[in-house]
Amino acid sequence: MEFDVEVDAKNQSCPMPVLLTAKAAKGMAEGQIMYLEATDAGARSDIPAWVTQTGNELVESSEDGGVLKFYIRKK
Amino acid sequence: MSDEQESMTIIAFSGDLDKLWPTMILSSTAAATGMNVTVFFTFWGLFPLVKEDVRITGKDAMTKMLAGMNAPGFQGAKLSKMNMGGAGRRMMRKVAKKGNLMPPEDLFDICLDMGVNMWPCQMTMDLLGIKPEQMRPNLGAPVGAATALQMMAKSQVSLFI
């Protein structure tokens, strides 16, 4: 999937993946896609929770060798 | 997101390191989620806001003694259990660093950047003889219990930590 912004939150613990995601989202235009990678297991539920709470859209999420990958559309 | 901005208010009563951590984690995360966040620092919670280079606060022997038992700044914050003269605190900070958990003072700065309101308690400042110039910059104006309660009444999330 193509994306406009990439966020690397690997090797960072709660709350950093959410903080980095929010920070990056601030600079994005509506409709743009963010690609986020995190290794904090809590991000598995935290990122979808943040997406729901902020009214953005989780386009796709997957896991690959301990790395959680999310595609988020800015609304 | 709902049309009206949600709010969270935390009463930071404890100056313990292990309680400052969740306060800072929740505050930064709530701000990142678009919530309006206020932290009201009162009683022991006020000492972490004192600049670390301030040797001692207080207006008389008793308040100076209290300040002596509560080292200023986040660096002075002890563990609530097993502090062991500072060994516990150092161990906890090491564990956090190893686990990539950001120290509370860094999270505090992130919170400020994200617009979290940091309100010192005026009454505690007066009681303990802590002067505004002895405290960190960028705090909100000192307020009292009624102001904190007003904020809590409007908040969907109110915590006492």
Side-chain angles (χ1 to χ4, degrees), chain B residues 95-153:
Chain B
V95 167
K97 201 172 176 187
K98 222 174 151 192
N100 299 312
L101 170 57
M102 202 167 261
E105 59 274 16
D106 290 5
L107 287 169
F108 182 90
D109 289 336
I110 290 175
C111 283
L112 279 180
D113 273 353
M114 295 203 301
V116 172
N117 305 308
M118 301 293 188
W119 292 353
C121 169
Q122 178 73 64
M123 181 276 291
T124 313
M125 286 172 68
D126 295 342
L127 185 76
L128 299 177
I130 297 172
K131 301 182 191 81
E133 62 269 24
Q134 293 175 320
M135 296 170 67
R136 285 170 159 268
N138 303 320
L139 304 175
V143 296
T147 314
L149 273 168
Q150 190 185 31
M151 206 64 195
M152 291 174 90

Side-chain angles (χ1 to χ4, degrees), chain B residues 18-99:
Chain B
D18 42 334
K19 302 212 171 126
L20 291 167
W21 240 308
T23 300
M24 292 305 138
I25 290 170
L26 288 169
S27 299
S28 54
T29 305
T33 308
M35 293 174 89
N36 176 29
V37 184
T38 302
V39 188
F40 178 66
F41 294 87
T42 187
F43 281 84
W44 315 116
L46 210 59
F47 286 110
L49 299 186
V50 176
K51 287 184 199 153
E52 264 130 32
D53 57 357
V54 173
R55 294 300 304 157
I56 203 96
T57 56
K59 50 187 179 179
D60 50 29
M62 293 265 260
T63 50
K64 281 186 166 69
M65 206 159 81
L66 272 173
M69 293 186 287
N70 291 277
F74 283 88
Q75 295 301 333
K78 302 177 196 124
L79 277 191
S80 60
K81 283 179 187 169
M82 308 292 274
N83 189 52
M84 298 179 287
R89 158 180 62 200
R90 280 191 295 278
M91 233 185 295
M92 184 65 212
R93 281 188 174 270
K94 240 182 202 167
V95 167
K97 201 172 176 187
K98 222 174 151 192

